[in-house]
Each structure stands twice: as C-alpha cells, then as structure tokens.
Amino acid sequence: MSQREGSLEDPQADSSISFLPHLEAKIRQTHNLARLLTKYAEQLLEEYVQHQGDPFGLPGFSPPRLSLVGLSSPSPSHAGLPLSERLRLDAAALGALPALLDAVRRRQAELNPRSPRLLRSLEDAARQTRALGAAVETVLAALGAAARGPDPEPAASAPLSPASSASGVFSAKVLGLHVCGLYGEWVNCTEGDLSQLVPGG
Amino acid sequence: QAHSLKRGTIQDLKCTTKNMLVWDCTWTPPVGVSPATVKEVCIKDRLHSCHRLESTNIKIAALSPGDHEVTINYLNGFQSKFTLNEKDVSLIPDTPASLSLSADLSSSTLHLRWNDKGSAFPYPSNATWEIKVLQNPSMEPVKLVSFNTTLNGQDTVHHWDWASELPLQCATYSVGIRWYIDYHRFSGYKVWSDWSLLKNISWTPNSETNVFPQDKVILAGSDITFCCISQTKVLSGQIGKTFCPLIHLYGENVAIRIQNISVSENSGTNVVFTTEDNVYGTVVFAGYPPDVPQKLNCETHDFKEVICSWNPGRPTGLVGPRNTDYTLSESISGKSVTFKRFETLTNESYRLAFQMLPGQEIHNFTLTGRNPLGHAESAVFINITERVAPHVPVSLRVKDINSTVVSLAWHLPGNFAKINLLCEIEICKASSEQEVRNATVKGAQESSYLVAVDKLTPYTLYTFRVRCSTETFWKWSKWSNEKRHLTTEA
C-alpha cells in the first residue's frame, strides 16, 4: 500500500487509499469537529425555537417558506457529486454561515435580551462554523483539490435578508429559524462528506 | 320658496344662499313663456331696484328681514309677482374646502384636515359637520360622526382623527364631509351642503407583507384586529397556539379579532395565518407603559457626581428596543442624562450618574421613564449637602504619639471642602472591649484626615476602623478596613 499525499478523484473506487499521518490526523480532527457541531446544531435549533414563542415548535406549525439570499440547503444531488466538489460546496456554505448566524444573534439580542445562553449559543455557532470551514479548506488544500474548479463564492457578508423584502419581526424569527436549520444541514453534510475520507470511516 | 300672487299658476321662486350675503334665486316661468323673454326683475326693498335680465335666475344681495315684493316683467308684457322673505331662503354652504387626508399606518389613524372658510360668513355662527368613513369595496360607512364648531370670522383649519380598529392596510378607505351653518340672525332654512368628493387613502402595499399590523406595540388587556391580505384561501388564523374565528373582509382577505390580549413574551406574541399555499405572520408586543419610578434616591459620594437610583416598579413586559428609557433632568442646571438599556436588569441596578456643577447645592431632579406605550415620571428636590454618603475611608494608618495616644489617618475621596465631616472611630481591645468615639473634622478636597485618639492603655493590642458621614447626616460610609496596632510601653 503506497503512502502518498492522497487525491480526491474518487476515494470509493480505491478503498485502500491512505494519507500522510499529519493529513490523516487533520481529516480525523475535522471530521470529529463536524460531528460535534452536528450535535450542537440540533441543540441550537431546539433552543432557538423555544425562544420564539408559540406556534414555533408546535407540531402543527410549518413556518413560511423563505429563501435566503446567499445560501440554500445542500442539493439532493450533493451526494452524487465528486467528493472534492462536495467538500468545496461544504466549505463555501460554512464560509457563508457565520455572517448569517451573527445577524440572527444581533436580532435575537433585541428580541431576547434576557436569554444570554441563546445568544452565546449563536455566537459559538458562528465561531465554530468559521473554524470548521477553515479546517475543511485546509483539508482540501492538502489534498490539492481546493484549486480545481471555481469556488462557489460564499455570500460571506450576505446580509440576513430573505429573498423577499418582508422585514418584520415575524420574518426575522422565521429567517433565524431557517439559518439555524441550514447550519445543522451543512455541518451534518460536511460530517458525512468527511467521513468518506476518514480511513475506516 | 315664494309663490306667485297672480295668474293663478304656481310659479316657484326658490332662493338659496351659500353665505347669507348673496341670494341665488330661480323661478319657473309661466307655462308658454320662454325663460329668455324675461325683461327685468324689480324688488321692492329700500332701494326698489330693478335688474334687467334674460334668464330665470338672479343673484341679489341678501334682503333685510321681512316680506319683499318681487315683480318679474316679460318682454311680452306678462308680469309675475312674488312675496319673498328670508324665511323662504335655504342656506346651503359649499362643500367643505381644502380637504387633506393622510394616514398613519403605524397607528392605523386617519387624519382629516379642512378649512371652514369662516371669513366668508357672519359670525359667530354654529357649524355642524358630518364625516363619513367608507370601507371599500363594500362602501359601507364604518364611521359616521357629527360635531359642532363655531365660525369666528376667520378661516380656521380643523382636524379630525380616526383610529381604525382594522389596520388601514386591510381595506381601502374613503372619507367624505359635509356641513350646515346655523346663524342666529338668519331665519331661513339650514340645509346640509353636498358631500365633499370622497378622499381615498393611498398607500403602496409591500407585496411581501401580508399580515397587518406589523410589530405593533399595544397595551396589555386591549383589543386588536389583525388582517391577512391573501390571493389564496386563508385556512386559519391563530395567536400563539390559539386559533381564532376568521372574519371575512373581501376577496380572500380575512381578519381575526383579539380581545383582552395578554402580556407578550420577550420576543413578542406571534400571529399566524395559514393559507392554502403558505404561512404568513406578524408579531405583536403587548405590555405596559412605564410605572412611576419608585424610591427615587439621589445622593453624592464625593460632591462630583450625583448618583440617582430608583426602582422601575411594575415590569412593562417590553424589552430590547421597546424597553423603557429613562432621562434624568435637573431643571436648575438644565442638564440631563439618559439611561438606555437593551436588557432589563434586576430592579436594584437602575442608576444614573449626574455630573454636578461646582457650587450647585439645590437640585431639582425629574426622572422620566418612556417606552412605546407611554411615560411616567418622579421628581425629587434636594440640597445635595444633605444627601452625602461618603465613600469608604481608605489607607487607614495608625501612628504612636505616646504610650496612651495615637494618631489615626485615613483618606476620603471626594470634595468636602464646604462641609464638616462627622466620623466614628471604633476602638477594639483584644479583650473584645469595644468603644466608639466621634470626631468632627473640617472637610477638604481629595484629602486625608487626621485624628488623635487618647486615653489608650499602653502596651495593648487595639483594632481600629473608621467610618464617616456629614454633619447634616444622611448616611454613613462603609467601615474602613480594620487596622491592628500595639501601643508602646509606658
């Protein structure tokens, strides 16, 4: 079995792939971080919902469909893409999320100023997402995949605004819910994509 | 109207006036006589004037009270005679003028302004106005109000405001106004003017915002109506988890009516409408106006700043940008400071520091709390020299003078140059004997103070501490740290 820098052409086709020790450690570390954030994201979503008041969180309530400028959910075809492309999409989304999470925190600081734990969770989420995004970028760079193909430009400084222009408090609540959902989806997606790189993963 | 005296046929002479100064009279010519064949009209008044004429309408200056004979001569020699009296004249003012209608969408209030053109009328006259508000498309009057004003010989602009229960965005509204005048010296008929042309409310709907009102702040316990403007059928409307009966407006637009709304959570109470293809919502913040600030206390520690603290009283239920702002103003210096908090803190931490003007002793403070639902204030009038709560004495030092006398020195931050300080010195012997002595010292600026303590026992371990207040006592400072000292041998 040959030790090489490793490549992301199609790891499934070559299950015996192995990476240099430091790269493998980086991948494992990044994967662990993604797994951890997946759990945190679930907790954040739950906590967020609790602070928006009924009917948020009630079984019958399905929040309005809002599309967000700058970020959308992982596409159904994501799993079918080459791994390098998937990781680059993950990195782009992780690059866009911190600004959105910050915007949600600022709005929640007005609505729920007496809920420091929620505000801290949103702050942590933004910071941790930034860290995970950087780690994925590092992995991609190490695997030489980062340079290939145009990066889907993350709308890093995308203001928190729905595609529509409704800007009331209710829309802000729904938008925050949407961002927390996207946060969970993309860290979960990243964790899944990274798991393919973890030897024996 | 007046009736012809001659030729048996009733020819009505109708006179109206807009301003009691000019009468506008018309009559029906006798059968078979063309209106164009009128030659002249003669009125038996003081002047017995005749007016050449070619129509059956004439504008004449208002006649004096009483009967006046009016003779109409036709070219063909025909003649009609009438008796005209002010009692027969109808006073019909023009429709109200220079109307302006505006809408404050945030408070769902219509503002109507108009000018009564009072300068055109004898005065004082009583004007009775009637205003109608129509809610389109049903054009049903949702409001009809009548009220009086007095014409005082000047043009006066009048205002009328109407707060709609239904948010103005939920329907289109039109407003009309009419009036009549009652002048005590006019004996004729008082008749409504025509309705003014309907004035419509115009606002440009934001296509994405469907529920109104948006983000309203209202008094807890009040009633409120929310509406949903929708192209598709609205299936339900709810506030929080409670579903409400839908009130049909027009098309697919509906409303729900909430009575006695309860205080909102911090992030507000959600109002949600579910339609066949989407969900729309708004948030309402139900709370209270600020309570009168309680236990307002203003004092100084150092004659540099006055610290005012207070208890906000009943929670308002409103936080963040809707939280209560407090402004402390002092009327003698004209200065004020503001206390803004996005976060509502526990009661005891409401305080403001007010920079003192050198030499100003009397202070007249007013603390005003303000939030979107109102304001409340407390006031306190003080002589600051009677409200001194010195800082804790620091740097306590003990020096032997002899075996039974020591000097105690301490520092007291602040500018007490204008007053005397009253301090207490606590003297404890190891054998737990305790004694407190008073000492009055001349105040100074940012100074240390020195006091001799005598009648001590030689070669004995003492613990000293000191606290201060002012001669016009208000509060003690905290005790200083303790200082242990062994007196010298005799």
Side-chain angles (χ1 to χ4, degrees):
Chain A
M1 196 160 61
S2 64
Q3 286 256 350
R4 49 194 167 81
E5 192 62 358
S7 131
L8 280 170
E9 282 330 306
D10 193 351
Q12 288 96 336
D14 180 358
S15 59
S16 67
I17 192 169
S18 66
F19 301 106
L20 291 173
H22 70 281
L23 177 54
E24 184 178 317
K26 181 64 183 176
I27 291 169
R28 212 178 279 282
Q29 184 193 44
T30 307
H31 178 246
N32 290 339
L33 175 59
R35 185 187 299 142
L36 186 63
L37 295 196
T38 299
K39 196 176 64 175
Y40 286 169
E42 286 163 15
Q43 292 164 0
L44 173 63
L45 188 60
E46 198 178 310
E47 189 174 13
Y48 181 87
V49 164
Q50 283 164 9
H51 283 87
Q52 306 317 309
D54 293 334
F56 285 86
L58 293 185
F61 177 63
S62 57
R65 297 186 310 280
L66 286 180
S67 58
L68 192 59
V69 173
L71 187 62
S72 49
S73 295
S75 78
S77 60
H78 184 92
L81 298 171
L83 186 54
S84 62
E85 180 58 16
R86 279 149 53 181
L87 286 174
R88 282 196 300 107
L89 287 171
D90 297 337
L94 296 170
L97 272 162
L100 298 173
L101 288 162
D102 276 340
V104 172
R105 182 184 53 76
R106 280 194 301 274
R107 199 67 198 256
Q108 287 299 308
E110 287 181 0
L111 290 173
N112 290 295
R114 284 192 259 169
S115 309
R117 209 178 65 175
L118 169 63
L119 303 179
R120 209 170 26 253
S121 302
L122 285 163
E123 197 168 354
D124 293 345
R127 192 178 57 254
Q128 291 152 357
T129 306
R130 218 171 259 120
L132 180 59
V136 172
E137 294 279 5
T138 304
V139 168
L140 279 167
L143 297 175
R148 241 171 272 122
D151 270 348
E153 200 40 52
S157 59
L160 177 65
S161 67
S164 64
S165 58
S167 59
V169 171
F170 185 77
S171 294
K173 288 185 176 186
V174 171
L175 224 49
L177 181 65
H178 192 44
V179 168
C180 291
L182 288 173
Y183 167 51
E185 287 173 50
W186 278 104
V187 289
N188 188 53
C189 186
T190 303
E191 192 271 335
D193 294 337
L194 286 169
S195 65
Q196 315 245 318
L197 283 178
V198 177
Chain B
Q1 67 260 17
H3 304 295
S4 166
L5 295 178
K6 228 168 173 192
R7 285 290 172 85
T9 56
I10 296 293
Q11 295 149 14
D12 299 335
L13 170 66
K14 289 195 185 90
C15 294
T16 65
T17 176
K18 293 180 179 179
N19 51 23
M20 295 172 271
L21 302 176
V22 173
W23 295 359
D24 186 344
C25 300
T26 55
W27 66 92
T28 50
V31 176
V33 175
S34 156
T37 61
V38 171
K39 193 172 78 174
E40 64 180 0
V41 173
C42 297
I43 302 167
K44 198 172 279 182
D45 190 1
R46 279 190 312 285
L47 311 171
H48 192 69
S49 53
C50 285
H51 309 264
R52 294 199 63 79
L53 209 53
E54 285 164 21
S55 76
T56 56
N57 168 269
I58 184 172
K59 289 184 171 60
I60 56 174
L63 300 179
S64 54
D67 284 347
H68 300 275
E69 192 179 84
V70 175
T71 307
I72 298 173
N73 298 311
Y74 292 87
L75 295 175
N76 60 6
F78 193 85
Q79 191 180 65
S80 300
K81 279 186 182 293
F82 299 94
T83 299
L84 180 55
N85 189 308
E86 186 184 64
K87 293 196 194 66
D88 306 324
V89 178
S90 299
L91 168 55
I92 312 173
D94 279 337
T95 56
S98 57
L99 234 52
S100 96
L101 181 65
S102 60
D104 173 4
L105 296 179
S106 65
S107 64
S108 285
T109 304
L110 292 184
H111 304 293
L112 184 67
R113 284 161 45 96
W114 71 96
N115 190 319
D116 68 10
K117 302 293 182 188
S119 59
F121 300 99
Y123 60 93
S125 304
N126 182 58
T128 300
W129 307 91
E130 193 166 60
I131 298 174
K132 64 182 177 183
V133 179
L134 309 179
Q135 182 178 306
N136 311 327
S138 69
M139 295 306 276
E140 274 302 312
V142 290
K143 184 70 179 180
L144 192 62
V145 64
S146 173
F147 55 90
N148 297 335
T149 63
T150 302
L151 301 180
N152 56 16
Q154 295 166 4
D155 290 359
T156 305
V157 173
H158 297 280
H159 305 257
W160 178 73
D161 298 340
W162 174 63
S164 164
E165 260 185 17
L166 191 64
L168 295 180
Q169 299 96 329
C170 303
T172 53
Y173 291 89
S174 309
V175 176
I177 182 171
R178 66 177 181 172
W179 64 318
Y180 72 80
I181 299 172
D182 188 359
Y183 178 51
H184 61 282
R185 291 212 194 103
F186 178 73
S187 56
Y189 303 101
K190 285 91 183 178
V191 178
W192 287 105
S193 73
D194 290 338
W195 283 102
S196 67
L197 286 178
L198 287 178
K199 283 266 183 184
N200 292 326
I201 302 295
S202 61
W203 67 286
T204 40
N206 165 341
S207 60
E208 295 306 328
T209 308
N210 296 66
V211 181
F212 302 97
Q214 282 279 316
D215 308 347
K216 194 169 176 78
V217 183
I218 62 169
L219 186 62
S222 52
D223 303 343
I224 183 169
T225 301
F226 295 93
C227 75
C228 179
I229 307 297
S230 175
Q231 308 303 321
T232 55
K233 183 172 177 50
V234 179
L235 307 177
S236 68
Q238 67 191 93
I239 180 165
K241 63 176 83 175
T242 309
F243 287 90
C244 311
L246 297 179
I247 304 164
H248 176 257
L249 296 177
Y250 63 95
E252 298 295 352
N253 302 340
V254 298
I256 57 174
R257 176 85 177 141
I258 311 301
Q259 286 171 318
N260 188 18
I261 192 167
S262 31
V263 181
S264 300
E265 301 176 11
N266 283 348
S267 71
T269 304
N270 302 308
V271 175
V272 175
F273 288 89
T274 303
T275 71
E276 284 169 336
D277 57 4
N278 208 340
V279 174
Y280 302 105
T282 184
V283 172
V284 58
F285 297 91
Y288 298 102
D291 201 353
V292 172
Q294 286 143 41
K295 297 178 185 159
L296 174 58
N297 168 55
C298 295
E299 60 189 30
T300 182
H301 299 306
D302 51 20
F303 277 96
K304 292 176 193 169
E305 53 183 24
V306 177
I307 308 295
C308 290
S309 58
W310 68 92
N311 178 325
R314 176 187 60 181
T316 63
L318 302 174
V319 297
R322 289 159 285 275
N323 202 353
T324 303
D325 287 345
Y326 287 96
T327 301
L328 180 70
S329 45
E330 200 285 311
S331 59
I332 297 167
S333 63
K335 289 169 57 185
S336 66
V337 283
T338 299
F339 171 95
K340 263 189 196 303
R341 271 186 200 283
F342 263 87
E343 172 144 357
T344 309
L345 292 176
T346 47
N347 284 352
E348 64 278 3
S349 55
Y350 282 77
R351 42 188 286 134
L352 265 172
F354 182 89
Q355 296 308 308
M356 283 177 61
L357 288 187
Q360 180 179 349
E361 293 189 0
I362 304 299
H363 291 77
N364 184 13
F365 286 114
T366 301
L367 178 70
T368 306
R370 201 177 299 277
N371 77 2
L373 290 175
H375 67 278
E377 61 186 41
S378 288
V380 65
F381 185 89
I382 58 170
N383 179 332
I384 199 62
T385 61
E386 296 160 0
R387 288 285 189 284
V388 182
H391 285 304
V392 57
V394 293
S395 315
L396 182 59
R397 301 179 305 280
V398 185
K399 270 190 185 166
D400 292 310
I401 294 178
N402 56 45
S403 63
T404 62
V405 181
V406 299
S407 72
L408 239 55
W410 63 88
H411 180 76
L412 196 62
N415 175 11
F416 302 105
K418 285 195 169 174
I419 58 170
N420 286 333
L421 294 168
L422 173 65
C423 297
E424 277 190 348
I425 298 158
E426 184 186 77
I427 306 162
C428 296
K429 261 187 186 174
S431 60
S432 73
E433 272 175 57
Q434 181 183 322
E435 178 194 359
V436 173
R437 299 186 196 170
N438 285 341
T440 301
V441 290
K442 178 87 180 70
Q445 176 145 357
E446 290 306 331
S447 182
S448 289
Y449 299 89
L450 195 71
V451 165
V453 177
D454 58 6
K455 304 191 181 75
L456 299 176
T457 311
Y459 200 60
T460 303
L461 184 63
Y462 284 93
T463 303
F464 300 98
R465 65 177 184 167
V466 66
R467 68 177 179 178
C468 292
S469 73
T470 55
E471 266 186 339
T472 49
F473 181 78
W474 169 245
K475 281 180 186 171
W476 286 109
S477 70
K478 292 193 175 89
W479 285 102
S480 70
N481 291 337
E482 291 179 346
K483 196 71 177 177
R484 291 159 61 91
H485 183 75
L486 179 66
T487 52
T488 57
E489 294 181 44

